[in-house]
Every structure is written in structure tokens, then in C-alpha cells.
Amino acid sequence: MSEPQSIRVGVNAAIVRDGAILFVEFDDAESGLHYNLPGGGVQPGEALHEALRREIREETDAEVEIGRLLLVWEYVPARYAGRYGRTQKLGLVFACTLREGSQPRLPEQPDLHQTGARWIRLADLPQTPLLPHISERLIAALQTTRQPDPFIEHI
């Protein structure tokens, strides 16, 4: 009998300000110094936007307005020899803006191995150790404004 399939759904924010994008900085033994877009896993019963707001608060102490869906990525462990774990993942990246007066910072109780909340210039993104490796597609998605938002929040 096969194991039941489990897919973790994650949400992330692409927050751009003054030509830079906000990242959460991590440093751990397995991946070394790397950056993730703010966000994380959706809990059972939680709407995607609710999860994204919660995760951004937990990782950066910031409040955001959520805009259009920019990217969808997937991680299938067998395709990557399990490099990033055994759980299949589906990631949704939304364009977001900071609410007025909100300033991102390292929270009082950061995630394990989280070392900062950093602004990285978009021009420097291709050389930045980003997980997952979506730099080129992220830049292209941020520059494309003609495409309507494919996400339907209320059905």
C-alpha cells in the first residue's frame, strides 16, 4: 500500500519598495546563508490571504496589502533527490505593499535560523542565494503589469 500523498501549500509576498525587494534572511548548516520571500505554510482551514498576512507578521513584524498573484511554483521531492525535504510543495507568490507606517524588522521571536529582514535591490537579485531559485521569473512577473490577476479569492 502506498503512503497517502501530502502537499504543503505555501504563500509568499513580493514586497517592492524603492527598487528593492524584502527578503527574510536565513543562515543554517544545510543551506548556508540564503534568502526567502516572507511567507510560509497555510494551516488547515486558513484562507491564503489570511495565512500570508499572518506569516508576514511572524517573520517581519510588518502589515501588508495583498495584490495580484505573481507566480506559482512546485517542488516535487523525487525530481530534486529530496534536497529540500520529502514533502511535496506548492508555492503561491503574491505582490504586496506595506501598509502605511509599517516597517519590516526581525521579530522578537524569529524563526529558527532567521537572521534578518533585508531589502535587496532588484538588480542584485540574480546573484542572491534565493530559495526557491525563482529570481528571473520573479523579476519578469514584477515587470509585467498587463496580465490580469488569475487568483479568485471569493467564489
Side-chain angles (χ1 to χ4, degrees):
M1 185 171 189
S2 64
E3 277 186 47
Q5 184 172 8
S6 174
I7 298 176
R8 180 178 183 258
V9 176
V11 287
N12 296 91
I15 305 168
V16 178
R17 181 176 73 184
D18 300 326
I21 188 166
L22 181 65
F23 284 98
V24 178
E25 181 184 85
F26 289 91
D27 196 356
D28 61 56
E30 187 175 323
S31 301
L33 179 67
H34 65 279
Y35 298 88
N36 298 17
L37 290 169
V42 178
Q43 297 174 355
E46 189 174 39
L48 297 175
H49 285 186
E50 292 169 355
L52 185 53
R53 285 186 188 94
R54 174 185 53 76
E55 287 287 349
I56 292 168
R57 267 192 309 276
E58 288 175 6
E59 292 185 348
T60 69
D61 239 9
E63 299 291 333
V64 297
E65 297 296 333
I66 300 172
R68 68 186 174 102
L69 178 64
L70 292 172
L71 294 173
V72 177
W73 59 265
E74 70 174 339
Y75 166 72
V76 179
R79 293 184 185 165
Y80 298 93
R83 180 175 179 186
Y84 304 111
R86 297 184 324 178
T87 302
Q88 186 169 346
K89 298 172 187 160
L90 176 70
L92 306 164
V93 180
F94 290 89
C96 294
T97 55
L98 290 174
R99 288 192 177 163
E100 189 170 333
S102 186
Q103 291 298 323
R105 64 182 180 83
L106 185 67
E108 288 183 26
Q109 296 181 351
D111 288 347
L112 187 63
H113 306 297
Q114 182 180 347
T115 55
R118 305 271 185 252
W119 292 98
I120 296 176
R121 291 178 346 117
L122 286 169
D124 296 334
L125 198 51
Q127 298 87 325
T128 302
L130 181 61
L131 292 179
H133 303 289
I134 59 171
S135 299
E136 291 177 18
R137 294 291 301 271
L138 179 59
I139 291 169
L142 288 167
Q143 293 172 343
T144 302
T145 57
R146 296 180 312 228
Q147 184 179 356
D149 186 354
F151 180 67
I152 301 171
E153 184 177 4
H154 303 285
I155 56 171

